[in-house]
Amino acid sequence: MSKIAGRFQQLAAQGRKALIPYIVAGDPEMALTVPLMHALVAAGADIIELGVPFSDPMSEGPVIQKAHERALANGARLRDALDMVQTFRERDADTPVLLMGYANPVEHMGYGVFADRAAEAGVDGLLTVDIPPEEVAGVNAELHRVGMDNIFLVAPTTPSARIKAIVDQASGFIYYVALKGVTGAGNLDAADVARHLALIREHTTLPLAVGFGIKDAASARLVGASADGVVVGSALVACVARAASEGVDHEGLVRAASALVAEIRAGLDSIASR
Amino acid sequence: MTTEMTSRIFASVPDAEGRFGVYGGKFVAETLMSALSELEALYRKLSQDAEFQRELDEDLAHYVGRPSPLYEARRWSDRVGGARIYLKREDLNHTGAHKVNNTVGQALLAKHMGKRRVIAETGAGQHGVATATIAARLGLECHVFMGEEDVRRQALNVYRMKLLGATVVPVTSGSRTLKDAMNEAMRDWVTNVDDTFYVIGTVAGPHPYPMLVRDFQCVIGREARAQSLARTGRLPDALVACVGGGSNAIGLFHPFLEDEAVAMYGVEAGGHGVASGEHAAPLSAGTPGILHGNRTYLMQDEDGQIMHTHSVSAGLDYPGVGPEHSWLKDIGRVNYVTINDDEALRAFHDLTRTEGIMPALESAHALAYAEKLAATMTPEQHIIINLSGRGDKDIHTVADIDGTDF
């Protein structure tokens, strides 16, 4: 069983929800990514989703677009993201780490080379926004060769027949996109999310995590009631960016990020304890 | 290879997955996948539908003003020497470029799908104007995404779009040019996918766009082929067209692909010279990758990041190219070459002074290459150049370079 699947199983046994924070590798500074990853775990993260900077992040709203631009300006590339995971693994062998990004940097490195290097660095899964099941055969063969999960998106616009095709290719968990839009949009509808999750569950027993539009303890609690986990991206990236722009030192910046994650953790755990 | 085999190859792309060989495909976020399937299904149905074809032909004849003339540029041919040069006058279309051939077609699709809002990306502004135009005619809400840098250098077209009732959205992310406008249009589409039709302006993007934009632009080559036969009793020896995303080029080339004796030249923007790195020539100097929903040749760095491009012509300033061009390059059917900024500018002035036809800077790239090509040919041979657009929109750019203030 993969580390990601194991973590979901363990949480389910405890009646808890997975908290999956997202940050961009190299944002706001190269040296801060690994300390941030450790701090997120200490504050209650179950899985880390590390964004791979790309010049054309088509599915991102303004907050995460700017994070990609900052990271690229700092020189962060796919190989740096892999190095950061490798460094993270020196002190944390257990927390699953997932890379999230776009097809081209992975394709350019080569699917086989990527799979080998990612496995060696200790990456547990890959989520490429722009590789749908129709195009995934090449990359999936390489990921499966090294025992890595491929995480797929299911959207509110995904019809039932496609859900089946997607879950057939997926492992680890399914990432449900809570709204039609880019990351960080605000129009979250928890009842609609719950309806869609029920639909997906007709096709799979894989855990379901929900992202896009979850920004605080309240929204996490609302969505977490029907999901197995939540992804928090833009809110966390904005929190880090705000601290950086205010000139807060490294320690203060890490503290601000930890405080947000701890607050969302408490929100999620209040569902479990009910 | 027999002629029959050749024709089967050209008719077989794209395949059911939208691939041209290894290129093309559908590399987009899941949210858009069912919208693309819906569009593909509708298009496959309507493209076989006589009533839809009649509507389209009617619009092309009476709204766009087709057929466009095939004009023999006698003085310019004499001056250049060598082959006789004919210009396919897409600059005479309504709105002044080939772009409108595609927007009338996609607007009909939008109407059949019941969408009330259209969006578009634009570089030089010609596709934005063509989309705003058809939106005005059909009473559709229209948003055009345009890089901030292009908004500055194409102020005339920005104002035209506003006059037509469109909202022009300046894009400030990334390099602030066409590729970033396309990113932003995709973001809008993913947010408003229920009521919005994305009118892509070139033969790029996810399947089915490269196929349907090609089909709508093929009217250029079909007419040119018939006009050449009627006027000269034979086919041309060579075709020349500029290639940014590549819609005017594929429109001219495609109906001639099976005519093995017709040579084809796609002219990319060499900018300050391919060796300088400041250009927009992915087919000549790039490598395959994935951007904007398809696999194609791209200008990218060693880490797969998309590079900034440069061209004096906003419409060619794009780091990718339509996937069918990538395939045509690999199989060797079309030759892809480059023309630098200064050569294109010289051709702009030459044609204006010798024929009284002011070409778009994009089309001037094709003219400049045809000059070189014609000189290697004989007066019995013919070249057709796609004069894809008129140059009014570029007057400010040309004046700035000449140091003229008006």
Side-chain angles (χ1 to χ4, degrees):
Chain A
M1 180 187 299
S2 77
K3 211 182 281 176
I4 292 173
R7 178 58 56 104
F8 271 101
Q9 204 171 67
Q10 187 188 339
L11 287 164
Q14 299 166 353
R16 298 174 78 215
K17 308 293 183 178
L19 172 53
I20 311 173
Y22 166 96
I23 55 173
V24 177
D27 172 54
E29 285 178 40
M30 297 289 271
L32 267 170
T33 301
V34 174
L36 265 172
M37 290 167 77
H38 287 301
L40 298 177
V41 174
D46 299 301
I47 297 171
I48 301 282
E49 191 177 324
L50 188 61
V52 178
F54 185 48
S55 52
D56 296 82
M58 281 194 305
S59 290
E60 313 299 346
V63 167
I64 295 182
Q65 279 175 47
K66 290 203 181 74
H68 280 252
E69 287 181 14
R70 284 192 298 271
L72 289 171
N74 292 339
R77 303 291 185 267
L78 174 56
R79 55 195 148 85
D80 303 290
L82 293 170
D83 289 347
M84 288 168 187
V85 176
Q86 192 147 19
T87 308
F88 173 77
R89 283 280 171 250
E90 290 168 7
R91 280 181 47 209
D92 187 331
D94 301 325
T95 307
V97 176
L98 162 67
L99 293 186
M100 179 174 185
Y102 293 80
N104 200 51
V106 178
E107 163 131 336
H108 195 75
M109 181 178 276
Y111 296 151
V113 175
F114 168 80
D116 287 335
R117 293 184 60 179
E120 193 194 321
V123 174
D124 303 291
L126 174 70
L127 195 174
T128 38
V129 179
D130 51 351
I131 305 187
E134 287 84 345
E135 307 286 357
V136 85
V139 68
N140 249 5
E142 294 297 336
L143 296 183
H144 294 161
R145 179 175 60 79
V146 298
M148 204 178 295
D149 286 322
N150 193 3
I151 313 301
F152 279 86
L153 301 174
V154 171
T157 54
T158 308
S160 190
R162 267 192 76 76
I163 294 176
K164 170 131 184 30
I166 292 171
V167 302
D168 283 350
Q169 302 276 353
S171 60
F173 67 95
I174 295 290
Y175 185 133
Y176 178 69
V177 177
L179 46 85
K180 293 170 201 158
V182 292
T183 51
N187 43 336
L188 186 66
D189 177 346
D192 183 65
V193 169
R195 266 195 307 279
H196 277 98
L197 295 184
L199 201 73
I200 300 169
R201 287 208 167 91
E202 290 175 11
H203 298 280
T204 184
T205 55
L206 283 173
L208 308 182
V210 176
F212 285 45
I214 293 150
K215 56 180 191 296
D216 53 17
S219 48
R221 199 165 49 230
L222 270 177
V223 165
S226 57
D228 301 306
V230 300
V231 182
V232 181
S234 294
L236 180 58
V237 169
C239 164
V240 169
R242 202 177 317 118
S245 72
E246 286 166 358
V248 174
D249 63 11
H250 285 190
E251 206 178 301
L253 191 146
V254 170
R255 215 165 34 233
S258 300
L260 177 63
V261 169
E263 180 202 319
I264 296 172
R265 175 81 265 166
L268 281 179
D269 287 348
S270 73
I271 310 169
S273 59
R274 250 183 239 153
Chain B
M1 191 183 292
T2 68
T3 306
E4 197 192 336
M5 278 174 69
T6 315
S7 60
R8 252 187 273 139
I9 287 175
F10 296 120
S12 70
V13 293
D15 67 13
E17 274 76 47
R19 298 213 182 83
F20 303 85
V22 299
Y23 303 106
K26 269 189 205 178
F27 294 88
V28 295
E30 176 56 28
T31 311
L32 295 175
M33 289 301 287
S34 40
L36 290 172
S37 303
E38 193 191 342
L39 174 61
E40 185 187 350
L42 178 88
Y43 178 68
R44 292 221 183 260
K45 185 167 124 286
L46 289 179
S47 60
Q48 305 300 319
D49 181 276
E51 174 57 22
F52 178 80
Q53 283 306 322
R54 196 197 54 77
E55 261 186 290
L56 180 60
D57 291 346
E58 188 100 333
D59 280 357
L60 290 174
H62 302 295
Y63 191 68
V64 175
R66 302 203 71 90
S68 68
L70 184 69
Y71 168 76
E72 182 182 1
R74 291 206 181 89
R75 273 193 82 209
W76 194 56
S77 295
D78 290 345
R79 186 166 150 163
V80 168
R84 304 307 292 174
I85 300 172
Y86 292 79
L87 305 177
K88 181 61 176 161
R89 297 290 308 276
E90 293 299 301
D91 60 316
L92 294 178
N93 291 340
H94 181 42
T95 72
H98 72 290
K99 292 293 186 187
V100 71
N101 301 329
N102 168 47
T103 60
V104 295
Q106 290 199 45
L108 280 180
L109 296 178
K111 206 175 83 176
H112 278 268
M113 291 176 103
K115 306 287 186 184
R116 55 155 202 93
R117 179 174 180 269
V118 293
I119 56 169
E121 82 294 339
T122 197
Q126 289 303 115
H127 174 59
V129 166
T131 306
T133 297
I134 200 74
R137 178 169 171 242
L138 295 177
L140 301 171
E141 186 186 327
C142 178
H143 283 75
V144 179
F145 297 90
M146 189 168 186
E148 200 179 47
E149 168 68 13
D150 293 335
V151 168
R152 188 190 57 74
R153 58 181 166 174
Q154 301 289 343
L156 181 70
N157 272 343
V158 172
Y159 189 56
R160 284 171 80 192
M161 288 184 265
K162 287 181 181 166
L163 289 174
L164 287 159
T167 303
V168 178
V169 185
V171 175
T172 56
S173 55
S175 61
R176 306 175 182 206
T177 60
L178 181 54
K179 91 173 166 71
D180 309 283
M182 198 150 180
N183 290 336
E184 210 53 39
M186 287 277 189
R187 289 176 188 128
D188 181 294
W189 197 29
V190 90
T191 306
N192 300 296
V193 62
D194 291 332
D195 70 351
T196 296
F197 189 101
Y198 181 13
V199 182
I200 293 185
T202 192
V203 285
H207 181 64
Y209 282 99
M211 172 180 74
L212 67 89
V213 176
R214 174 194 74 191
D215 292 353
F216 289 137
Q217 290 295 358
C218 274
V219 66
I220 302 172
R222 279 198 307 272
E223 284 178 9
R225 197 169 183 283
Q227 287 166 325
S228 181
L229 288 170
R231 287 272 293 284
T232 67
R234 63 186 195 82
L235 294 176
D237 299 281
L239 305 174
V240 184
C242 64
V243 177
S247 69
N248 90 81
I250 214 86
L252 176 65
F253 295 168
H254 200 266
F256 289 93
L257 285 174
E258 294 166 19
D259 301 312
E260 285 174 57
V262 180
M264 301 183 190
Y265 300 87
V267 187
E268 295 192 293
H272 295 142
V274 168
S276 73
E278 293 178 14
H279 58 87
L283 291 167
S284 306
T287 51
I290 296 168
L291 179 69
H292 292 153
N294 66 97
R295 183 180 282 119
T296 193
Y297 278 87
L298 298 174
M299 287 182 56
Q300 57 183 330
D301 68 14
E302 70 277 12
D303 293 300
Q305 304 291 338
I306 308 307
M307 289 162 69
H308 287 205
T309 51
H310 165 80
S311 171
V312 68
S313 139
L316 301 183
D317 207 350
Y318 180 66
V321 63
E324 191 162 9
H325 285 292
S326 295
W327 179 70
L328 290 169
K329 170 192 160 74
D330 282 7
I331 64 171
R333 179 64 186 93
V334 179
N335 306 292
Y336 292 93
V337 296
T338 61
I339 281 293
N340 298 347
D341 286 353
D342 54 344
E343 298 172 300
L345 279 160
R346 222 164 25 240
F348 170 93
H349 288 294
D350 277 356
L351 192 77
T352 302
R353 289 295 180 94
T354 54
E355 295 286 350
I357 295 172
M358 194 178 289
L361 285 177
E362 289 78 11
S363 320
H365 286 72
L367 294 164
Y369 186 76
E371 275 192 65
K372 295 184 185 179
L373 181 67
T376 68
M377 295 165 69
T378 66
E380 291 71 43
Q381 294 184 296
H382 298 167
I383 298 175
I384 295 179
I385 302 172
N386 198 358
L387 194 71
S388 54
R390 70 183 184 216
D392 312 44
K393 69 181 175 62
D394 295 313
I395 286 178
H396 285 280
T397 303
V398 173
D400 277 354
I401 291 166
D402 288 349
T404 308
D405 193 13
F406 65 88

